[in-house]
């Protein structure tokens, strides 16, 4: 991959692209031992050695984590305008900067994938790969067998038709029902809107799987890196080959 020098410096986390141009103009950037002042210069990170102020810069290592997002955290980095807590504070100790792949609602819990690998993130979100997202949804009321059958056939929502890949009753909890529901699409509030359209508003929602990834016993608020095996499976599910 050939990239412009300023882009490479920002990819490596040195600074923004604009500030990288300034570093280049100031003669602080060397490529293969030579000072470069031309802003249009392109480099091949596989072969070229880039230094800033005499120190070699390299792209951060690729990192892939899952977080068990608890209720009442916004899926965003940095501070929120509203003063609500954000997932940023749960991933402070992740050794590289990562960004969330998709989002969970403020009050949705469960599996959130975060990475600094843009290509993998794009594929996980791309509808072509149809990655199933499995949710446990506690809904108000007792879902009848008849309603369950109708759910399986889908429903017209305000932004078009929606049909789960699967939906089943896990158990009744008093007057409410715990459902397991699978969607591969990622429209906003899809699970809540879909279930509410059958007269069963969601009380609690938790994502327990994304493609080949399972939340397992990861405690709420905790994160962990994916294993080599999980990475191989995930990469393969989106048509990529994983090499460690
Ligand atoms: N569907 C929803 O309604 N909310 C989520 O957070 C995820 C899927």
């Amino acid at each position: 991959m050939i990239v412009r020098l300023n882009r490479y410096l920002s990819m490596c986390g040195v600074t923004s692209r604009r500030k990288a141009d300034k570093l280049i103009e100031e003669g602080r950037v060397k490529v293969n031992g030579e000072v470069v002042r031309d802003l249009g210069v392109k480099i091949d990170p596989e072969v070229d050695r880039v230094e800033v102020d005499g120190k070699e810069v390299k792209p951060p290592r690729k990192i892939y984590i899952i977080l068990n997002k608890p209720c009442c955290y916004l899926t965003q980095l940095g501070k929120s305008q509203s003063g609500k807590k954000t997932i940023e504070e749960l991933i402070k100790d992740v050794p590289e900067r990562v960004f969330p792949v998709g989002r969970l609602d403020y009050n949705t819990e469960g599996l959130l994938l975060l990475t600094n690998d843009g290509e993998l993130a794009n594929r996980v979100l791309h509808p072509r790969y149809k990655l199933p997202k499995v949710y446990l949804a506690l809904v108000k009321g007792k879902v009848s067998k008849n309603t369950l059958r109708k759910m399986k056939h889908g429903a017209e929502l305000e932004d078009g038709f929606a049909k789960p890949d699967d939906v089943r009753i896990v158990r009744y909890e008093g007057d409410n029902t715990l459902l397991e529901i699978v969607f591969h699409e990622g429209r906003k509030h899809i699970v809540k809107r879909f279930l509410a359209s059958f007269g069963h508003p969601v009380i609690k929602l938790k994502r327990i799987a994304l493609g080949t990834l399972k939340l397992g016993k990861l405690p709420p608020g905790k994160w962990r890196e994916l294993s080599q095996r999980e990475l191989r499976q995930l990469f393969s599910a989106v048509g990529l080959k994983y090499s460690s």
Side-chain angles (χ1 to χ4, degrees):
M1 183 184 62
I2 308 292
V3 283
R4 267 178 87 129
L5 186 52
N6 63 357
R7 172 140 185 262
Y8 181 72
L9 293 176
S10 90
M11 270 163 57
C12 294
V14 174
T15 183
S16 67
R17 272 201 231 183
R18 215 155 42 85
K19 288 189 181 151
D21 281 342
K22 215 161 160 266
L23 291 180
I24 297 168
E25 282 174 337
E26 287 168 359
R28 293 166 62 186
V29 183
K30 281 186 188 165
V31 177
N32 302 324
E34 301 279 335
V35 172
V36 167
R37 288 177 194 269
D38 176 358
L39 296 182
V41 155
K42 293 188 172 157
I43 61 128
D44 180 349
E46 303 272 313
V47 292
D48 294 319
R49 179 188 160 94
V50 177
E51 290 165 70
V52 174
D53 295 334
K55 238 183 106 198
E56 185 173 10
V57 291
K58 286 189 179 160
R61 83 173 166 104
K62 296 263 172 65
I63 181 166
Y64 310 85
I65 69 165
I66 55 170
L67 169 72
N68 185 351
K69 180 185 121 36
C71 174
C72 310
Y73 279 82
L74 290 171
T75 307
Q76 70 172 59
L77 302 174
K79 286 223 159 65
S80 74
Q81 301 258 321
S82 58
K84 286 181 175 158
K85 287 185 284 190
T86 74
I87 58 162
E88 171 106 14
E89 62 187 80
L90 303 171
I91 54 165
K92 276 201 184 109
D93 49 346
V94 174
E96 307 288 353
R97 248 184 92 75
V98 287
F99 52 90
V101 181
R103 60 187 294 282
L104 292 174
D105 294 339
Y106 177 66
N107 56 6
T108 300
E109 302 169 19
L111 192 159
L112 193 61
L113 172 67
L114 296 105
T115 182
N116 55 2
D117 182 340
E119 188 180 18
L120 180 88
N122 284 337
R123 290 202 180 204
V124 166
L125 294 175
H126 199 290
R128 182 194 312 157
Y129 300 103
K130 294 190 166 66
L131 285 197
K133 301 164 188 93
V134 186
Y135 299 87
L136 285 178
L138 181 67
V139 297
K140 206 162 163 16
K142 285 202 155 169
V143 175
S144 66
K145 292 274 149 53
N146 193 29
T147 302
L148 186 71
R149 223 178 355 260
K150 287 185 186 155
M151 284 178 177
K152 286 179 193 285
H153 285 101
E156 197 60 52
L157 304 180
E158 62 199 9
D159 55 353
F161 190 69
K163 184 173 178 291
D165 301 311
D166 196 16
V167 53
R168 70 180 181 91
I169 295 171
V170 178
R171 60 176 175 265
Y172 293 112
E173 294 191 356
D175 290 337
N176 302 322
T177 311
L178 186 66
L179 296 172
E180 187 179 279
I181 185 161
V182 185
F183 272 100
H184 64 262
E185 62 154 299
R187 266 182 285 168
K188 208 169 177 189
H189 309 315
I190 187 77
V191 177
K192 290 179 188 163
R193 291 191 290 129
F194 179 81
L195 293 171
S197 77
F198 288 91
H200 292 288
V202 169
I203 301 168
K204 207 171 162 190
L205 188 61
K206 180 177 182 177
R207 183 156 73 188
I208 56 167
L210 166 64
T212 51
L213 300 175
K214 307 257 180 296
L215 183 63
K217 292 194 178 355
L218 187 65
K222 297 286 179 208
W223 64 269
R224 68 169 175 83
E225 280 195 53
L226 298 184
S227 68
Q228 301 282 307
R229 187 185 148 92
E230 286 174 314
L231 284 169
R232 269 197 306 277
Q233 290 172 337
L234 181 62
F235 272 64
S236 150
V238 295
L240 292 172
K241 198 167 160 40
Y242 175 66
S243 58
S244 52

